[in-house]
Amino acid sequence: MTDLATRVSPPRATLPRRVAPALVGYAAVRALGLIVLAVWSAARGKSAYTLLTARWDALWYTRVAELGYGYEVRLPNGDVHSNLAFFPLLPWLERLLHAVTPLSYADAGFAVSLLSSLAAAGGIFAVAEWVHGPRVGLCAVLLWAVLPVGIVQSMAYSESLFTALAAWSLYALLTGRWVSAGLLAALAGLTRPVGAAVVAAVWVAGVLSFVGTRSASESHGAQADERAPAPPYDSPTGRISRENGARAATRAPSSTPDAPSWRRALGMVIAPLGAAGYVLWVGHRTGKGPLGYLDVQAGWRNGFDGGYAFARFVGEKFTSVPSAPAGAGLVLGVALLIWLYVTGVRRRQPVPLLVYTGVVLALALCASSYFGSKPRLLLPAFPLLLPLAHTLARARTSRSALVTAGVAVASAVYGAFWLNGSGPP
């Protein structure tokens, strides 16, 4: 009885060890995608490496890294494409790698993308594991790897870098590391305009934590006589789900009410500095004040119209029989995204994840940007995959592996076809 009473569970493995299988699986999926792309491109007489590093936005990033800001292209219709539209963190990293290694700017962009994609996979695992456990974490990483436009994760674009910063910022929020969350949010804000989603998550979590702390202190005296063990509970940043109740006693609640107020406040202050700093700098450089960046985006015909342009684009697909299936596919795709988000709400995902995902969805679907780029703009919305990952994790291992392998092959083929065709703008 004494031995049984004093027996303790074995120590939990460290996060790097827990995430290792997910990283191996992710690397395998991405390697498959690159191999298929190389074979497909060679058959068409194209260079897979050029497609990954020296086309579309990748060229703009390397030009910023090499020559700095100030380059623009004036189109015959009067539009002005300025490189001020591209946020600076990726070009800064390309310039740094080029300075300390023999890599060219394009090579440096590819290296940053590969390393960032692994960091993003690790962050996705950490968030999914915190919410649902390690098996769901593994499945979430694999699902992110096999997305139809997953090949973008290996391109010299900023999606992988941004997703890595966003995922680890959200994880820092969930685990009460407010200053780290703010710093990572600031870096995310230097990477892409959608960095506003990470800032929003930090601010909402911070406000709710202060409100929760104040409410708890006000009710402490009234409840002093009613002390009893509490079940998994609602917290300012999200409710611990029933299935995670067993783990609730072994980890800090997402609200981290005991975190010093100054740390929470400091994290909130730091979070918007990256995005705000760059936007204000662009406004100063263009001489158009705080809204100067919006004028830069307007030159690319990018803006926020509440989804009107996208709805009109989809509606036009139904004006002819040949394009009607494409329109139906777009409608089903949007419906799936909304269903996944609503499922996350119903399953009580932590509030920071819901805020972050909601802003990413709104900016991707309700902006008047080039419609072909919307799938890759949704890549950072990884919390949408958690309901699917939860379902996949509940299946038998053999069945989950078979499904994942099949989707990975389809994703690799589609990625090669897509990148050799219209590709991401």
Side-chain angles (χ1 to χ4, degrees), residues 178-207:
W178 290 90
V179 177
S180 296
L183 288 171
L184 290 167
L187 291 174
L190 284 171
T191 307
R192 296 187 63 81
V194 75
V198 192
V199 176
V202 173
W203 270 76
V204 171
V207 170

Side-chain angles (χ1 to χ4, degrees), residues 113-294:
S113 178
L114 292 183
L115 295 175
S116 297
S117 66
L118 289 172
I124 292 170
F125 174 87
V127 170
E129 183 200 39
W130 195 94
V131 178
H132 291 300
R135 187 174 175 87
V136 176
L138 171 63
C139 292
V141 169
L142 294 178
L143 287 175
W144 192 66
V146 303
L147 288 173
V149 294
I151 190 65
V152 175
Q153 299 164 18
S154 301
M155 297 181 66
Y157 272 40
S158 60
E159 273 77 10
S160 291
L161 178 60
F162 174 79
T163 304
L165 294 168
W168 284 109
S169 179
L170 292 171
Y171 179 72
L173 266 184
L174 295 175
T175 54
R177 299 172 174 88
W178 290 90
V179 177
S180 296
L183 288 171
L184 290 167
L187 291 174
L190 284 171
T191 307
R192 296 187 63 81
V194 75
V198 192
V199 176
V202 173
W203 270 76
V204 171
V207 170
L208 292 179
S209 73
F210 279 113
V211 172
T213 300
R214 180 179 179 181
S215 300
S217 63
E218 290 177 350
S219 62
H220 177 73
Q223 297 179 355
D225 298 331
E226 301 178 4
R227 300 177 184 273
Y233 55 89
D234 286 338
S235 66
T237 56
R239 177 176 297 189
I240 299 175
S241 63
R242 292 187 182 91
E243 65 196 76
N244 296 327
R247 297 199 304 276
T250 62
R251 70 183 185 190
S254 61
S255 59
T256 60
D258 295 330
S261 297
W262 69 268
R263 286 185 175 273
R264 283 177 275 166
L266 182 58
M268 294 174 67
V269 169
I270 294 173
L273 294 182
Y278 181 69
V279 168
L280 291 175
W281 178 81
V282 170
H284 174 74
R285 183 182 178 101
T286 59
K288 297 183 179 180
L291 301 182
Y293 183 76
L294 297 181

Side-chain angles (χ1 to χ4, degrees), residues 301 303-316 365-371 374:
R301 295 190 177 270
F304 189 87
D305 61 1
Y308 173 76
F310 184 45
R312 183 177 177 180
F313 173 79
V314 174
E316 291 174 350
L365 297 180
C366 298
S368 58
S369 57
Y370 178 66
F371 304 112
K374 292 189 182 293

